[in-house]
Amino acid sequence: MLFRSRMRRGFAIGKVKHDPVFWMLAERLPRQGHLLDVGAGEGLLASYLRCAGSDLSFTGLDIDAARIAIAQKVADERMSFRVADGQDAALPEADVVTCIDVLHYLPTDRQDALLARMCAALRPGGRLYLRDPERARGFAAWWTETWERIFVAIGRHKGGGVNVRGSAALAEALSRHLEDVRVERAGTGPFANALVSGRKPRDSGLAPGV
């Protein structure tokens, strides 16, 4: 148990220190409002943003009860973490939605369904940010997907497999619901990842959560 605890701590430190998605989101997210994090894990993003001065309130969902238990231990009064699956759980309306390294554990049809649910949870003018592995040729893409398969095999990430679609396909899927869709590189070192985002139209005609 002590070894596992140290492994978790080392992984968390490495993530926030070297993974560019944290500082990228810290630069792009609003300072106030409500953030829904689908696949929140141990709550690293919420903790990082709070340390960076964010005044956002947070709702974090994850299917892994052990990881949510860790998030709950470090949560402040404006952070709420619960065990839930974004595919079927009620999603609160939010000014911004994040989904970091989650979609590629789902089949394509379930990815599209989750995307639609997260977009519906956005308030008009709100933005969705997705980070997922990139489908690029070469070593970086192979290395990234290999590590994702290893994480599934050892139980670090729960899922039935790995289904990487890449930024172009995700951007196309997102454009069915959102405007101003953007793709940015969000990997470092030997890892190939992309940050895909889009904004909900202010006159979409849909109430948040519908």
Side-chain angles (χ1 to χ4, degrees), residues 2 18 22 35 46 77 80-81 93 121-122 148 172-173 178 188 205:
L2 179 59
H18 301 293
F22 291 96
L35 183 150
E77 66 279 358
S80 172
F81 295 98
E93 63 179 57
L122 279 171
E148 294 298 338
E172 181 181 357
L178 305 178
T188 187

Side-chain angles (χ1 to χ4, degrees), residues 20-60:
V21 74
F22 291 96
W23 61 258
M24 290 179 73
L25 290 174
E27 288 182 342
R28 289 157 177 75
L29 297 183
R31 289 287 174 173
Q32 297 181 322
H34 187 73
L35 183 150
L36 169 63
D37 189 9
V38 178
E42 291 98 342
L44 290 180
L45 177 60
S47 296
Y48 183 92
L49 291 174
R50 187 66 86 234
C51 290
S54 172
D55 196 38
L56 286 164
S57 59
F58 299 88
T59 296

Side-chain angles (χ1 to χ4, degrees), residues 5 13 44 52 56 70 96 113 115 125 140-141 156 169 209-210:
S5 176
I13 292 173
L44 290 180
L56 286 164
I70 294 172
V96 60
L115 281 175
R156 167 70 189 177
V210 173

Side-chain angles (χ1 to χ4, degrees), residues 169-191:
L170 291 178
E172 181 181 357
L174 207 57
S175 66
R176 300 171 198 154
H177 308 279
L178 305 178
E179 61 186 11
D180 188 30
V181 175
R182 305 177 186 180
V183 176
E184 302 173 84
R185 183 178 177 180
T188 187
F191 294 100

Side-chain angles (χ1 to χ4, degrees), residues 60-71:
L61 310 179
D62 201 282
I63 61 174
D64 191 324
R67 299 179 74 182
I68 285 294
I70 294 172

